[in-house]
Amino acid sequence: MALVDLLYLCPDCGAEAMEGKGSEATCAGCGTSFATHGRGQGILVTSADQGSQVVAAHELASGIEAHDSVLKAVRQGTGGVLRRTRVLLSLAVGEGPVRHGDRILGFIEEFGPPDAGELTLTSDGLTFTSEGEELREWRLAELTALQAASSSLQLTQPGRPLASFRFRSDSTRRWESLLREAIRRVWREAGRGEVDEFQPRIRAHGS
Amino acid sequence: MSVLYHAVRTPVRWAFRLLTDLRVEGLHHVPSGGPFLLLPNHQSILDPLLIQSICPRKIHSMTKSTQFTQPAFRVVLAGLGAFPVRRYRVDPQTVRVLLRLLDEGQGVCVYPEGERSWDGALQPFRRGTLRVALRAGVPIIPVGISGTYDLMPRWLKRPRPGAPVSLRFGEPMCLGAIRDRSTRDRRLPEFERQLVREISRLASVPISRETRERLDAGSASPSGEGGS
């Protein structure tokens, strides 16, 4: 995880050319650099002409959404492949209890071994192709929950095991935004309402 | 308070005091006895440690189930009062555990956003959490955390000491136990608005676009029961 997971596009010029590690990122397109500020309270943005200012992270994040052409395509329901990336897919194989003394505190999911492959987003679904050529598909209209952890996304679809995708070369935050928008569009088009909650269940206003 | 909880609490509190410019306000709002529910905003993985190290009472935290995956972590987290919630489905076991702890007169912390904010802004609250809070009938204490986003946001692996951190406990909201589901659902939108406003004020964080849209739509709506 790094600042580039938040700033996956350049908030200044919109280029998909962010590079960096840890708390620093630079746009290879326009040269603007971003770094966490010494004593917190925002991100220090230094443009190529050396002018610098501290900007709140949420303001930068809003700027990115405005630039994101993939997000626009998702909102419009453009056909074809919208985004593709390398992931590790783990499928839940069961659930086990968490105990403390003689009490059961709750249950946790247990995952099988991860499978490396490629995840593809289209306007109506997700496809995972493993390196062994095995194909798995999820239809967006059938998903019942979507949740993000720091570097993975989990999907629930009734009758199928919980699927967890760990991103190897793309921003989890970006995929979360794309999937949320894609699910919202699919629900809207199906007349199911405006989705405003994704976990523990995908739900629309007033549903 | 368990030995592990006590052993961890004191050094963590000193670490926060040494490594950050820490300010704590409103600690007197935490009841000295009886059950209560803390509802803070969530900016960092350090938030539970901050709250547990500062609160004079033991705090049980609802924690995402994936944190319990490693057996060693499972033992430590359980010893620190954490209990798991499966976020990919409605989790009745978590609600049972939460209500049982409150019945026993304990303090419980639930993050109504359900996850850490990516960009520091206040995310929409989980309806399940709000429903359980209305059902529980215990003092609900809104909590505002600021600065932990700068200390260690979810996109950083290591903390960056030096950031000013503040932890502010608001006045308890005593709404009484609302057992009837339809009454709870009617009260939900106003409760959500009130809580978002108060936590945003205490934490001095902006309210995200998604949260504003949901409040504008008055959409804290019926259906579904469960944890967040």
Side-chain angles (χ1 to χ4, degrees), chain A residues 95 103 109 147 184 196 207, chain B residues 86 88 104 127 210 222:
Chain A
E95 293 184 330
R103 283 188 164 182
E109 58 275 33
Q147 58 156 330
R184 279 195 179 109
D196 70 348
S207 63
Chain B
R86 291 166 286 185
Y88 53 89
E104 291 169 354
R127 293 189 187 112
E210 276 191 330

Side-chain angles (χ1 to χ4, degrees), chain A residues 15-26:
Chain A
E16 289 220 24
M18 297 300 287
E19 297 169 348
K21 283 183 178 177
S23 58
E24 293 180 352
T26 303

Side-chain angles (χ1 to χ4, degrees), chain B residues 28 61 78 88 107 110 117 128 137 162 169 173 183 198:
Chain B
H28 60 281
S61 297
Y88 53 89
V110 182
S117 170
F169 297 86
M173 300 160 77
T183 310
E198 184 61 359

Side-chain angles (χ1 to χ4, degrees), chain A residues 1-3 6 22-23 36-42 57-58 61 65 95 98 100 103-109 145 147-150 154 156 162 172-173 176 180 184 196-197 199-201 203-207, chain B residues 21 64-66 68 74 78-79 82-84 86-90 93 97 100 104 115-116 118-119 121 125-127 131 149-150 154-157 160 162-164 206 209-210 214 217 219 221-224 227:
Chain A
M1 295 297 289
L3 183 54
L6 177 72
S23 58
T36 43
H37 195 40
R39 280 179 62 81
Q41 301 190 336
H58 67 93
E65 284 200 3
E95 293 184 330
V98 174
H100 186 57
R103 283 188 164 182
I104 291 182
L105 295 180
F107 294 89
I108 59 168
E109 58 275 33
Q147 58 156 330
S150 294
Q154 294 184 345
T156 313
L162 173 70
T172 311
R173 176 178 162 76
E176 184 187 16
R180 283 181 168 210
R184 279 195 179 109
D196 70 348
E197 194 160 276
Q199 55 170 275
R201 278 206 304 251
R203 288 183 214 170
H205 289 319
S207 63
Chain B
D21 178 8
K64 65 180 178 183
S65 53
T66 46
F68 290 80
R74 199 176 304 168
F83 57 100
R86 291 166 286 185
R87 298 183 302 161
Y88 53 89
R89 50 165 286 186
V90 172
Q93 173 66 15
V97 169
R100 189 181 65 204
E104 291 169 354
E115 61 184 317
R116 287 168 287 165
W118 277 101
D119 59 12
F125 290 174
R126 304 275 176 254
R127 293 189 187 112
R131 283 200 182 89
Y149 182 81
D150 298 306
R154 69 185 286 180
W155 40 267
L156 267 191
K157 284 181 180 163
R160 300 177 313 109
R209 178 180 50 82
E210 276 191 330
R214 192 158 120 181
S219 64
S221 59
S223 100

